[in-house]
Amino acid sequence: MFAAAQYAALAVFVVGCWGYGRALLGRLAPPPRRDAGLEAAMAVALGVGLFICAFQALAIFGAFKVGATVALVVVGVLAAAVQLPAWLRERRALLANVQAVPWSYPERVAAIALALVVLPALVAPLAPPIAFDELMYHLPYARQVAQQGSLGIHDWLRYPWFPYNYNLLYAAALQLSDDVLPHFLNALAGALSVVMIYRLGMLHANRLTACIGAAIWLGLGDYSNALIDMGVALFVLSACVALWWWRESEPGKPTHGGIRWLGLAAFCLGVAAGSKYQALVFLPLVAPFVFRHERSPKAWALVFVCFLIPCVYWYARNAIMTGDPFNPIGARVFGFTEWTPADYVQQVADVRVHAELPNALIWSVFFAPFSVLWKRSAAVRAAGWFCLYSLVVWVATSRYPRYLTASFPLLAAIAAIGWQVLFGWAASGVKRLFGAKAPQPQDASATVARSGARVGDWVLVLLLAAMAAVSVRQTAVKVSMVAVTPEAREAVLRKHVPGYAVMDYLRRTAKGRVYQVALNEAIYYGPNPIWGDTLGPWRYTDFGRLSGGDLARKLSGMGFVAVVLPDSVAPVFSARIDFDKYFAVEYEKDGSRVYRILPVAP
């Protein structure tokens, strides 16, 4: 019942998104290449973007309440119900023109592989929140917005000035349900982009490319948390789809076709840029591409307006309040505010520490230009150039794999073509190998073909067996993380969230402010809000050199009543002069402890 309730809530939201997105897409001319699946996924993605804009507008004016959220969902569902009959007729007409093509053996194998990858992804969102970043600021921010019904600057979070578009969906989920539902909204972004990659593969390449590309991206995605990287990836991919629809649109009909697709692409990029700063790196790629084909002031005015609608609030707010529209990453240009130069250096160093190669599944992207699909399809080449640009920018900046997530869907699609090239070369090598050893009678070629086919069949069978084993193991791990009862949830959280027990204790008992040290990954489960971080105005180093008395006076003067920290840090903390006179252990459990601040003279 727990899983059914979560999936039912997600289904209602998806229907509402489709209702809004379909209503808007219906005002545009049909795409040049009709595909019912791709258009439906785009409608849902557009609906997600419209929900985000509606939530943002409500929160700006302090009206983001439960009633408003429910009303928006209900209106979306009603819009879907009104449009459904016409859409079903249109879908039947589109499918009637599609000729059924038999599945080849490699395609069936790829489809089975895709199904195996789906299994753990279906279970993963059911786990309670345990990922570092979702507990450190994604969910704490969403909870704060959900409780207050408005947007605010919460300086106790590590990134109070970041754009938080996609997190507004999590805030709405927390208004209506528990903290597992945000995982499903993150998973929705991944699922929609998987559908898009599959349909794009069918349109511009072949079924094998569609299955392999969808399986790669599905395998790379993380469906067990409430991060926003897959949400950004969805809207970057949607922007690319809309851009290609614009590029292929019929010339001579700018008001009914091309320019409106351009506006849709700009809107999707705006939603992405309003969710994470990294999405801005695609503007230098997209802008020249558009300018090369469209220089009309009217078109560019539409592009700017559609791009700014979802994201201008965040950047304008930051510019007005701090002078840095990209706070804090623009500090070197616009000046430092909450962060100091040392914070900036520490953040950059942390990113570099995590630098590593991306998943090996996408390395084959460099072999795609050797495919006939590359030569045959302009869309494949355009996607390939997008991938090359993304990789060059990524290497030149962070080399942190998660910062490449926005490009993963198209990287997966092009990598699927590269894998076909590699397997094709391997198959040719096997045929030559068997051909060199085979006798020379008239049926030699047939013998070689059969031998090569048998080897290929065994390779595919072994690959499927390995994938099945991995899928079963991962699914079992995901199932073990699902917590249906409060007791099971507490057991999972105590095992996977360091400091959960003491944070939960403080959430229930603290009567004043709490300062935490080195337990950022657990603050979602602590008092709301809770202060302390390695960066920003509540950085640990600002309190690090004080004696026990001075530290107690400073914390007490700020309204703090307790300090919570892990046992590993406690010796450094308690080694201060006169520490025992001003701090006393109040509670300790699972490797962390709470110190009560004792009364001190002013």
Side-chain angles (χ1 to χ4, degrees):
M1 289 299 296
F2 174 73
Q6 298 293 338
Y7 272 105
L10 177 66
V12 171
F13 180 69
V14 170
V15 171
C17 290
W18 182 84
Y20 285 120
R22 173 70 183 177
L24 184 56
L25 286 181
R27 299 182 62 84
L28 307 179
R33 301 191 194 194
R34 302 301 306 275
D35 184 275
L38 181 59
E39 292 174 34
M42 281 289 288
V44 176
L46 178 57
V48 173
L50 294 174
F51 264 110
I52 288 173
C53 291
F55 292 154
Q56 184 190 114
L58 289 170
I60 289 172
F61 294 102
F64 187 21
K65 307 295 184 181
V66 174
T69 301
V70 171
L72 284 172
V73 174
V74 169
V75 172
V77 172
L78 292 176
V82 170
Q83 299 173 90
L84 183 60
W87 179 76
L88 290 174
R89 290 193 297 270
E90 181 180 327
R91 182 176 179 273
R92 283 194 294 268
L94 289 175
L95 294 178
N97 297 324
V98 176
Q99 294 183 349
V101 179
W103 287 68
S104 66
Y105 179 72
E107 291 171 349
R108 290 196 296 270
V109 171
I112 295 172
L114 176 57
L116 290 173
V117 181
V118 167
L119 290 177
L122 290 175
V123 181
L126 292 166
I130 62 171
F132 187 98
D133 283 2
E134 71 171 330
L135 299 181
M136 182 171 63
Y137 62 96
H138 287 296
L139 286 180
Y141 179 86
R143 180 175 58 189
Q144 198 78 354
V145 174
Q147 291 175 351
Q148 296 180 351
S150 61
L151 299 178
I153 307 301
H154 310 297
D155 65 355
W156 52 277
L157 293 173
R158 175 169 292 188
Y159 305 114
W161 299 97
F162 267 27
Y164 279 107
N165 266 352
Y166 209 83
N167 297 81
L168 297 179
L169 297 177
Y170 302 156
L174 293 177
Q175 287 179 339
L176 303 178
S177 185
D178 57 24
D179 53 19
V180 172
L181 187 56
H183 290 179
F184 281 83
L185 298 178
N186 170 63
L188 172 63
L192 288 174
S193 50
V194 166
V195 172
M196 290 183 186
I197 288 302
Y198 181 85
R199 298 312 308 172
L200 288 170
M202 294 291 291
L203 278 173
H204 300 287
N206 53 45
R207 188 182 284 153
L208 187 59
T209 300
C211 290
I212 297 175
I216 291 175
W217 168 227
L218 187 61
L220 293 178
D222 190 348
Y223 299 83
S224 61
N225 57 52
L227 305 185
I228 47 89
D229 301 275
M230 291 205 300
V232 175
L234 169 65
F235 284 102
V236 170
L237 177 61
S238 299
C240 292
V241 173
L243 273 176
W244 198 250
W245 282 349
W246 164 71
R247 186 68 188 93
E248 290 187 333
S249 60
E250 184 178 351
K253 295 184 178 180
T255 61
H256 213 54
I259 290 182
R260 293 187 181 183
W261 291 127
L262 201 54
L264 176 60
F267 175 80
C268 292
L269 280 178
V271 175
S275 299
K276 194 162 188 172
Y277 286 139
Q278 279 78 9
L280 294 171
V281 302
F282 298 107
L283 297 184
L285 173 67
V286 172
F289 174 77
V290 174
F291 186 76
R292 178 184 175 188
H293 301 285
E294 179 59 75
R295 302 181 185 180
S296 164
K298 179 181 178 181
W300 278 93
L302 178 66
V303 166
F304 281 122
V305 170
C306 291
F307 175 78
L308 292 176
I309 286 174
C311 68
V312 67
Y313 168 81
W314 308 105
Y315 296 95
R317 178 202 65 181
N318 291 1
I320 293 170
M321 297 182 70
T322 71
D324 179 5
F326 313 105
N327 193 320
I329 65 172
R332 285 186 174 176
V333 176
F334 299 99
F336 292 88
T337 52
E338 272 79 3
W339 280 22
T340 64
D343 291 338
Y344 191 93
V345 171
Q346 183 177 344
Q347 176 70 9
V348 172
D350 182 67
V351 170
R352 289 176 177 169
V353 165
H354 290 89
E356 60 181 350
L357 291 173
N359 193 289
L361 288 173
I362 67 169
W363 292 1
S364 63
V365 70
F366 297 105
F367 296 96
F370 298 98
S371 170
V372 293
L373 294 172
W374 182 277
K375 302 173 184 178
R376 184 186 306 161
S377 172
V380 170
R381 292 194 298 274
W385 287 113
F386 172 91
C387 295
L388 177 61
Y389 171 86
S390 300
L391 289 169
V392 169
V393 170
W394 175 76
V395 169
T397 54
S398 67
R399 288 175 286 115
Y400 179 24
R402 189 147 64 87
Y403 288 174
L404 192 59
T405 303
S407 302
F408 273 169
L410 285 178
L411 281 167
I414 301 304
I417 297 175
W419 283 116
Q420 291 176 72
V421 172
L422 288 174
F423 279 112
W425 289 348
S428 298
V430 169
K431 289 182 179 180
R432 286 195 298 270
L433 177 64
F434 278 91
K437 295 180 179 180
Q440 299 300 319
Q442 294 182 354
D443 64 343
S445 60
T447 303
V448 171
R450 287 194 298 271
S451 300
R454 283 195 296 271
V455 172
D457 290 347
W458 277 109
V459 170
L460 291 177
V461 168
L462 291 175
L463 284 175
L464 276 184
M467 286 195 66
V470 171
S471 177
V472 170
R473 182 175 61 84
Q474 289 187 348
T475 302
V477 171
K478 303 299 183 185
V479 169
S480 70
M481 298 293 294
V482 178
V484 178
T485 66
E487 295 77 15
R489 176 184 168 93
E490 183 176 3
V492 169
L493 294 178
R494 287 183 60 184
K495 180 179 179 181
H496 294 280
V497 180
Y500 166 76
V502 291
M503 284 292 186
D504 182 62
Y505 167 79
L506 286 167
R507 180 185 57 80
R508 293 181 281 107
T509 62
K511 303 300 182 182
R513 285 185 166 192
V514 175
Y515 189 85
Q516 65 83 21
V517 180
L519 286 176
N520 306 72
E521 67 268 37
I523 67 171
Y524 173 69
Y525 294 111
N528 183 34
I530 185 169
W531 287 261
D533 205 332
T534 56
L535 311 170
W538 300 98
R539 64 184 63 82
Y540 308 136
T541 54
D542 290 348
F543 300 84
R545 295 182 176 88
L546 300 176
S547 66
D550 290 340
L551 177 62
R553 275 185 285 271
K554 183 172 183 177
L555 290 173
S556 296
M558 295 177 173
F560 290 101
V561 298
V563 177
V564 57
L565 68 168
D567 290 349
S568 58
V569 179
V572 177
F573 190 76
S574 60
R576 304 164 189 266
I577 298 174
D578 295 332
F579 176 81
D580 292 337
K581 294 181 179 180
Y582 302 100
F583 295 88
V585 175
E586 178 181 340
Y587 183 81
E588 56 183 320
K589 194 171 186 178
D590 294 346
S592 298
R593 64 184 69 177
V594 177
Y595 284 97
R596 184 175 72 258
I597 303 175
L598 302 177
V600 293

